[in-house]
Amino acid sequence: MKHLIFIGIFLLTAVLTVKSQSAKDDYPVQPVPFTSVHLNDDFWAPRIRINQEVTIPIALHQCYITGRVDNFKKAGKLIPGYFNTEYPFDDTDIYKIIEGMSCSIQMFPNPLLEARMDSLILYIQKAQESDGYLFTARTAAAPDKMHPWLGEKRWEKDPELSHELYNCGHLYEAAAAHYQATGKRSLLDVAIKSADLLVEDFGPGKLAFEPGHQIVEMGLVKLYRITGKKEYLNLAKFFLDIRGHGKSGEYSQTHKPVVEQDEAVGHAVRATYMYSGMADVAALTGDKSYLNAIDKIWTNVAEKKYYITGGIGATGSGEAFGENYELPNMSAYCETCAAIGNVYWNHRLFLLHGEAKYYDILERTLYNGVLSGISLAGDRFFYPNPLESVGQHSRSQWFGCACCPSNICRFIPSVAGYFYAQKDRQIYINLFARSETEILMGKNRIKLSQQADYPREGNVTITVSPQKKEQFDILVRLPGWARNKPAPGNLYTVSNPSTGNPVIIKINGKEIVYNEKNGYAVLSRKWEKGDGISILFPMNIQRITADNRVKDDAGKIALQRGPLVYCLEGADNDDKVLNSVLGDNAAVTDTFIPDKLNGIRQLQASGQSAKRTADNEIIIEEKTLTAIPYYAWANRGQGEMMVWIPRSEQTTRPLPPKTICTEATVTASTPNKSLSSVNDGYSPEHSNDRKIPFFSLWPKNNAEEWICYTFDKPQTVSRASVYWFDDAPWGGCRIPLWWKVQYRDGDEWKDVRTNDAPKPEKDAPNTITFQPVITSAVRLLFLMPEDKSSAVYEFEVLSPP
């Protein structure tokens, strides 16, 4: 048992004893919980209602029809049968949905939804084994047919694939939310029984498997807060301290002990969940080595690995962080779950430090990187959230690995818990929307009422009504974007900064000169009932440029208004945006369009479009460019989109000239959304060029495949070229074992006649010349490797010269 570690020299260095608790051993700043905040605005409240009325029912329906719910019933012997879904972590979708239901009924009471939740909890109770073990993939496994990701014994494969501890973590998160929202112990008792088993099985002198996918650490801390059982906090710290010895390395952040890590690497969701767990443990134990590590990692992300949309995780290979400044746009992974994890992490860092820079990232991520993951109707989802598309991206109803939809279910109704916070005699106002809350300060109850049409408008009014007149501070966050700072550090810069006092604040109608501290306006006075704070945030349209080391953004700008990042989408721009140009001197205007995309402020500018002639000449034409909020894209079907807009013809992508291939009808043996890439006219610089779209057959392998062009009239062709995608050594695609070209002759497919057999090669066009044929259709035929897939950037056939 490679990961079984007994008491010895290692455990002498991994001290697990938690300091005796006192009231101050916690986050210095305390959040006002979602249960104490009522949102009644036009932006978030409708989304929370849609989440309850559309998204959660869809997710529940999928969990029933895919067998996820039945897995619990089978484990509990309520129905016959065995575990029958794809992934051993499918249980977590139920837990996350329950968490979302719990938060949702706080804002919109729903007896029917609560009854459905009670039924799910009953199935979970029945599925739990007598000693507390709860994992349907094992309990309901068919005899001699254990899921291949599981080991013969409990827990032993968790550092690799089993996800047993990951399931536990989401169970604990759901149980805490359910108890907080309803006061019921039905799920909490299940979670406690499970956590007691972990305490019994893991620790010094016991099992020492590090969690393969982090979140159990966060869940254990939540149970500790509810129960006061120090063993849960000790175990959360133990799971963190034993990292650094696992064989999965950077992918799951086991390459170094957590306190020695200083760069964000590996799977982005795992990473942010781990950093959040480290923040929890640091707050509760005072462990400064944890705090020092996550502060360094945060600086690395904020200054070198953070998208303008708030997304993180640059590459789909490992769903991971890339190298410093590696922030491609079209291939950006930016998983929805990673954006949610980024919110969790930055919220905790704010609670530790009380600095607005963490909320600057949280807000940007919330309004852009998270919201893009769910359609406006609440019924379609994105898993990755790219910043550029040729139309190969579209929202899906569900995924086999459904972590993102179920994560959306639980996150959206919890948003109210991010608006306000308190530290001693200070009240923080971090986010802005029409809302109400009451905060207890000593024996004085203070009511805050906020009026705002944010993020559409920058006028915010806050009414402060303490039960009795009292001196205290109200700290109003001054968003970085309102102070010409789109991000901490110099990763992004406003090229057209506003001048003068960026944020105007009045108290009871009189403009004040306020002190600024840690990104907050500190409003200190003896407050009395009915005092009013008026805030005016500048909502000018900003042009954002990226650090020169971000190669994919060189010579381009992004548009932002308030916290919202904008994009060009084909639906508003004659279907083409990737060939656009927005000059530095072009005026950009904004207009509120109430009946478009649920009501948006639309941006427009006089720009240009570029196209290339058959003689390789670039022609520039005038064009009105229309931009919409990034979160709203892909709600009107597939099409082109881009966030970073070229500033000149040198950095744009001219529309290729029309050819018989670009005008042909494309079909394939295994078609998917990316098929249109093969005849879009764009060629890569090398076989792993992520700036150019490609048609991928992954994860299919060991199969003969074809791509066919059908012409509207017979064509004479004598040459063909194909450019292969290959993401070796880590990815799943390789050049094929062989390829050839065929043409249709009547009802038959025939090989073209060529002197030399085509040879598959990387990093160059694979070109052949053959005897001319007149045909109405041509196809590329190829054989994929036995254990790898194949992918194509561009397939082209040409007439004789």
Side-chain angles (χ1 to χ4, degrees):
M1 306 220 4
K2 298 178 182 177
H3 299 275
L4 188 58
I5 305 172
F6 293 98
I7 292 178
I9 295 175
F10 167 71
L11 287 177
L12 291 176
T13 64
V15 180
L16 303 174
T17 304
V18 175
K19 300 174 183 178
S20 60
Q21 288 297 116
S22 68
K24 65 179 181 180
D25 286 333
D26 207 335
Y27 284 108
V29 182
Q30 286 292 301
V32 176
F34 72 91
T35 51
S36 299
V37 179
H38 178 63
L39 292 172
N40 54 7
D41 68 321
D42 295 328
F43 191 87
W44 286 111
R47 282 170 166 78
I48 294 171
R49 185 176 286 281
I50 287 171
N51 186 74
Q52 182 181 109
E53 296 178 352
V54 178
T55 312
I56 288 175
I58 284 173
L60 277 176
H61 175 69
Q62 290 289 344
C63 285
Y64 274 98
I65 66 173
T66 58
R68 285 165 166 81
V69 175
D70 281 350
N71 284 339
F72 286 95
K73 292 182 177 181
K74 293 169 183 175
K77 308 300 182 185
L78 297 174
I79 61 173
Y82 304 106
F83 181 88
N84 193 33
T85 56
E86 187 172 358
Y87 299 106
F89 51 77
D90 286 338
D91 292 359
T92 64
D93 294 322
I94 305 296
Y95 301 147
K96 285 183 277 186
I97 293 168
I98 289 174
E99 184 177 347
M101 296 163 85
S102 300
C103 298
S104 181
I105 62 175
Q106 268 292 302
M107 186 163 174
F108 298 114
N110 187 326
L112 177 59
L113 200 64
E114 191 164 359
R116 296 189 73 180
M117 188 160 47
D118 289 341
S119 296
L120 291 173
I121 292 172
L122 174 63
Y123 304 149
I124 294 169
Q125 291 171 331
K126 296 294 185 182
Q128 188 170 36
E129 296 185 23
S130 58
D131 64 352
Y133 187 76
L134 180 54
F135 189 62
T136 68
R138 184 180 298 277
T139 304
D144 302 321
K145 285 190 176 181
M146 188 71 70
H147 192 285
W149 289 11
L150 307 188
E152 292 183 7
K153 298 179 181 180
R154 294 177 179 179
W155 318 118
E156 67 178 351
K157 278 199 173 182
D158 199 87
E160 299 160 27
L161 288 171
S162 77
H163 288 79
E164 287 159 280
L165 292 171
Y166 175 73
N167 278 26
C168 291
H170 274 298
L171 168 65
Y172 305 162
E173 294 257 309
H178 181 254
Y179 177 69
Q180 185 180 10
T182 68
K184 298 178 181 178
R185 294 187 60 93
S186 51
L187 190 58
L188 179 63
D189 288 340
V190 172
I192 289 172
K193 191 174 181 180
S194 168
D196 287 344
L197 177 66
L198 295 193
V199 170
E200 181 180 332
D201 284 355
F202 290 90
K206 308 173 190 176
L207 296 178
F209 300 125
E210 79 275 4
H213 193 312
Q214 301 89 317
I215 201 175
V216 70
E217 304 86 351
M218 297 164 63
L220 283 166
V221 168
K222 287 190 176 180
L223 290 186
Y224 163 69
R225 291 182 184 278
I226 292 171
T227 65
K229 288 188 176 182
K230 198 175 296 182
E231 296 89 345
Y232 298 162
L233 180 57
N234 290 343
L235 185 57
K237 189 173 189 300
F238 174 82
F239 281 141
L240 291 165
D241 285 341
I242 61 174
R243 305 191 81 82
H245 305 273
K247 65 181 182 180
S248 56
E250 289 188 351
Y251 174 74
S252 58
Q253 298 77 42
T254 62
H255 60 298
K256 293 180 183 179
V258 295
V259 296
E260 296 178 13
Q261 297 187 30
D262 56 9
E263 180 181 356
V265 296
H267 191 273
V269 182
R270 285 170 162 85
T272 54
Y273 286 1
M274 185 181 85
Y275 306 151
S276 298
M278 290 173 67
D280 285 341
V281 172
L284 290 164
T285 67
D287 192 320
K288 287 185 168 48
S289 62
Y290 273 38
L291 189 56
N292 182 55
I294 54 177
D295 282 348
K296 288 180 179 178
I297 296 168
W298 182 88
T299 299
N300 173 250
V301 173
E303 297 184 358
K304 298 175 182 178
K305 298 190 177 186
Y306 176 64
Y307 279 93
I308 191 66
T309 56
I312 54 173
T315 174
S317 179
E319 302 178 321
F321 288 101
E323 299 297 325
N324 291 335
Y325 304 106
E326 181 188 355
L327 296 167
N329 293 314
M330 190 172 294
S331 64
Y333 201 70
C334 295
E335 184 180 339
T336 300
C337 287
I340 291 172
N342 204 23
V343 170
Y344 292 155
W345 179 29
N346 277 276
H347 187 228
R348 285 163 166 80
L349 287 174
F350 159 74
L351 297 176
L352 281 166
H353 297 298
E355 296 182 40
K357 65 182 182 180
Y358 304 110
Y359 254 91
D360 289 343
I361 284 186
L362 188 156
E363 182 184 55
R364 180 177 296 277
T365 305
L366 183 62
Y367 280 98
N368 302 286
V370 171
L371 278 187
S372 60
I374 179 71
S375 68
L376 296 175
D379 60 352
R380 295 290 189 277
F381 308 93
F382 268 144
Y383 199 112
N385 293 270
L387 280 74
E388 192 172 292
S389 179
V390 295
Q392 75 272 40
H393 303 96
S394 65
R395 300 182 186 275
S396 299
Q397 293 182 356
W398 192 250
F399 305 100
C401 173
C403 55
C404 293
S406 55
N407 233 352
I408 285 285
C409 286
R410 76 174 180 137
F411 179 78
I412 293 296
S414 74
V415 164
Y418 295 95
F419 274 72
Y420 303 96
Q422 179 183 8
K423 178 184 180 182
D424 301 325
R425 304 187 65 77
Q426 296 177 328
I427 294 174
Y428 292 82
I429 300 175
N430 285 311
L431 297 176
F432 308 98
R434 193 162 65 241
S435 59
E436 293 180 352
T437 189
E438 286 191 357
I439 298 172
L440 193 63
M441 184 178 291
K443 296 182 179 180
N444 197 3
R445 189 172 296 276
I446 300 158
K447 181 178 180 180
L448 298 179
S449 178
Q450 191 179 153
Q451 298 294 320
D453 188 21
Y454 194 88
R456 300 184 185 105
E457 303 294 344
N459 300 300
V460 177
T461 301
I462 301 163
T463 303
V464 185
S465 296
Q467 278 184 330
K468 61 181 181 180
K469 189 174 182 179
E470 189 171 355
Q471 178 83 28
F472 56 88
D473 297 343
I474 291 180
L475 279 67
V476 177
R477 184 174 69 91
L478 304 172
W481 57 261
R483 295 177 291 133
N484 299 313
K485 292 182 178 180
N490 297 311
L491 185 57
Y492 300 111
T493 304
V494 178
S495 65
N496 60 331
S498 56
T499 58
N501 190 12
V503 180
I504 297 172
I505 298 180
K506 298 178 180 180
I507 295 180
N508 296 332
K510 184 178 179 180
E511 186 173 343
I512 64 166
V513 177
Y514 51 84
N515 293 323
E516 182 180 333
K517 183 178 180 181
N518 293 330
Y520 288 88
V522 181
L523 310 181
S524 181
R525 63 185 273 126
K526 188 170 283 189
W527 298 92
E528 57 184 283
K529 188 173 183 179
D531 278 345
I533 305 170
S534 299
I535 310 162
L536 179 60
F537 294 118
M539 285 292 189
N540 52 302
I541 300 162
Q542 296 176 321
R543 295 169 183 253
I544 312 296
T545 58
D547 187 294
N548 291 333
R549 286 167 286 190
V550 183
K551 294 181 180 179
D552 282 51
D553 300 339
K556 301 176 182 179
I557 58 105
L559 297 175
Q560 180 170 323
R561 183 183 181 275
L564 299 182
V565 174
Y566 278 71
C567 67
L568 302 181
E569 189 175 21
D572 305 301
N573 296 279
D574 301 324
D575 296 329
K576 299 295 181 184
V577 301
L578 299 182
N579 65 332
S580 299
V581 175
L582 181 61
D584 291 346
N585 296 321
V588 184
T589 60
D590 71 282
T591 307
F592 180 61
I593 313 293
D595 56 352
K596 182 175 183 176
L597 298 168
N598 292 357
I600 61 166
R601 294 207 73 94
Q602 175 180 278
L603 307 186
Q604 285 195 318
S606 296
Q608 294 85 36
S609 64
K611 64 180 181 181
R612 193 181 301 275
T613 68
D615 298 326
N616 208 32
E617 179 185 356
I618 296 177
I619 298 176
I620 301 295
E621 298 175 336
E622 298 300 312
K623 181 179 182 178
T624 298
L625 301 179
T626 299
I628 63 169
Y630 172 74
Y631 72 75
W633 88 280
N635 280 279
R636 296 170 292 180
Q638 293 174 242
E640 292 190 4
M641 181 278 295
M642 70 174 173
V643 170
W644 288 97
I645 308 169
R647 301 164 70 181
S648 68
E649 64 180 80
Q650 284 75 33
T651 52
T652 195
R653 184 181 296 173
L655 193 67
K658 292 182 180 180
T659 67
I660 59 172
C661 297
T662 61
E663 300 301 296
T665 300
V666 189
T667 54
S669 50
T670 309
N672 60 41
K673 298 172 186 175
S674 62
L675 180 59
S676 61
S677 302
V678 300
N679 70 331
D680 61 10
Y682 298 117
S683 297
E685 294 181 3
H686 50 79
S687 285
N688 197 10
D689 186 346
R690 299 297 180 132
K691 299 188 295 295
I692 303 296
F694 52 87
F695 168 56
S696 175
L697 291 157
W698 187 87
K700 191 175 183 181
N701 56 37
N702 194 29
E704 189 176 290
E705 300 286 332
W706 55 262
I707 300 169
C708 176
Y709 289 161
T710 301
F711 310 119
D712 57 358
K713 61 181 180 181
Q715 300 286 343
T716 301
V717 294
S718 64
R719 292 174 291 162
S721 176
V722 59
Y723 208 119
W724 302 104
F725 172 83
D726 188 312
D727 56 358
W730 309 115
C733 291
R734 301 291 185 274
I735 59 174
L737 300 179
W738 56 258
W739 68 276
K740 63 182 179 179
V741 174
Q742 296 182 323
Y743 69 98
R744 189 160 60 201
D745 183 6
D747 293 331
E748 289 185 76
W749 285 102
K750 296 182 178 179
D751 294 348
V752 298
R753 295 181 181 180
T754 181
N755 292 331
D756 300 310
K759 181 181 178 182
E761 292 181 324
K762 285 178 60 174
D763 299 321
N766 293 198
T767 303
I768 59 168
T769 301
F770 49 86
Q771 291 185 11
V773 295
I774 301 174
T775 183
S776 61
V778 172
R779 72 178 184 180
L780 171 70
L781 199 67
F782 55 95
L783 177 63
M784 297 190 291
E786 182 177 353
D787 60 346
K788 299 293 181 182
S789 191
S790 292
V792 176
Y793 281 110
E794 199 74 11
F795 171 47
E796 186 176 22
V797 290
L798 300 167
S799 302

